[in-house]
Amino acid sequence: MSSEHGRETFLDAVPHDYMQRFHTQPLIDRLHFSHPSDEWRQASARCYAGGQERLHTAAEIWSGKDLHGFLEPLFAALCEYDALYTLAIDMSFSDMEPEIIELTSWDGLFQRFLHLRRLELFSRTSSAVRKHFAATFLRTCGDQRPEAESSGLTLAWVVLLRPEEYSDGQDVLLDLGALASILEGAVTRCERLELYAAKPSGDDSEGFRSLSAIPTDPDLFRTVAAPILPRLSSLVDVLTIH
């Protein structure tokens, strides 16, 4: 199945032993979806099991329809084995923002995985899309758990610290203010909030595959974000700054 632009979709790109990789123990527990820049239309999905990459596939995305066609087969396969614990999103489809928010596959994702506990939102993802994902995650993942799954939810939020000549810190406060509003309006309390203060880097043209790979400046962040940190701390059980 190819897109109308003749590019590969998910089903074209998967390896021949695709389904075997999903039912092999340990099961896939982390999905990292990334799209580094609007100029580069290729998006990728990386699946991990026990910290090791199990599957990587990519396709060029030109529309919301392409995005849905790329992700839906992957979601369906993951749902069959239902071990997904972490979803990481790092994408910059700024020209497709309304389509991304309206995609039912994203909303449904949070309802389809009973064990989904952790959402990682990287800084490339637009503010509107991040807010949508965070609100949906907290709304749907906190009240659809078996009694044995009683632990809370973790939200990892990456904040980009721009060079001083481009920013006086107000963009950081606005970003965190939006996050605080989501936490205040959530029916389910976020147990753990992880804030990552990312420094601009020339090494991230293809995106980072993990939060630990992001160069950070927590001391500068504490200074810039000082006015809002008490508010955020009051809205979660545990607040960490990296």
Side-chain angles (χ1 to χ4, degrees):
M1 178 175 63
S2 300
S3 72
E4 59 190 58
H5 292 269
R7 272 73 176 188
E8 286 185 326
T9 64
F10 179 83
L11 293 180
D12 294 316
V14 295
H16 65 89
D17 59 345
Y18 161 64
M19 286 307 299
Q20 181 179 343
R21 301 191 187 195
F22 286 93
H23 63 70
T24 300
Q25 294 289 339
L27 297 175
I28 290 172
D29 55 15
R30 183 175 189 267
L31 167 63
H32 184 177
F33 176 73
S34 65
H35 170 254
S37 71
D38 288 340
E39 291 74 26
W40 188 30
R41 304 304 300 189
Q42 188 175 67
S44 70
R46 296 179 182 273
C47 296
Y48 297 83
Q52 300 297 314
E53 185 174 307
R54 175 75 58 78
L55 174 69
H56 174 216
T57 186
E60 291 191 8
I61 306 297
W62 294 86
S63 68
K65 183 178 179 181
D66 286 345
L67 182 61
H68 185 277
F70 176 61
L71 291 171
E72 185 57 32
L74 176 60
F75 291 168
L78 288 169
C79 186
E80 183 174 349
Y81 298 98
D82 193 16
L84 191 68
Y85 182 90
T86 300
L87 172 64
I89 300 172
D90 182 16
M91 60 183 181
S92 64
F93 289 114
S94 59
D95 58 334
M96 290 168 48
E97 187 175 282
E99 292 180 90
I100 292 172
I101 292 177
E102 293 170 6
L103 279 176
T104 56
S105 60
W106 283 112
D107 282 348
L109 174 68
F110 299 105
Q111 298 174 330
R112 292 159 72 174
F113 297 102
L114 291 178
H115 303 286
L116 184 61
R117 280 289 188 279
R118 181 180 176 87
L119 178 64
E120 300 174 356
L121 296 172
F122 288 66
S123 59
R124 294 182 192 274
T125 310
S126 74
S127 177
V129 173
R130 287 207 293 175
K131 288 188 291 185
H132 173 72
F133 286 156
T136 304
F137 172 67
L138 294 174
R139 183 177 65 250
T140 60
C141 290
D143 59 357
Q144 298 190 25
R145 300 290 179 259
E147 292 184 4
E149 296 287 344
S150 58
S151 62
L153 306 177
T154 294
L155 179 62
W157 190 275
V158 180
V159 179
L160 180 61
L161 296 177
R162 302 182 187 280
E164 291 183 3
E165 62 266 32
Y166 298 122
S167 172
D168 58 4
Q170 289 304 306
D171 53 345
V172 172
L173 294 177
L174 286 173
D175 187 39
L176 295 178
L179 172 58
S181 296
I182 292 169
L183 295 172
E184 287 171 337
V187 175
T188 302
R189 184 178 177 86
C190 180
E191 181 177 292
R192 182 180 179 89
L193 174 62
E194 300 175 2
L195 299 177
Y196 291 80
K199 298 187 296 184
S201 170
D203 298 329
D204 65 345
S205 60
E206 295 186 10
F208 294 107
R209 297 183 189 178
S210 69
L211 294 169
S212 62
I214 299 175
T216 62
D217 191 338
D219 292 334
L220 175 60
F221 177 78
R222 287 187 179 92
T223 300
V224 172
I228 200 171
L229 289 180
R231 180 183 173 193
L232 288 171
S233 182
S234 71
L235 295 172
V236 296
D237 296 334
V238 178
L239 172 63
T240 63
I241 297 174
H242 305 264

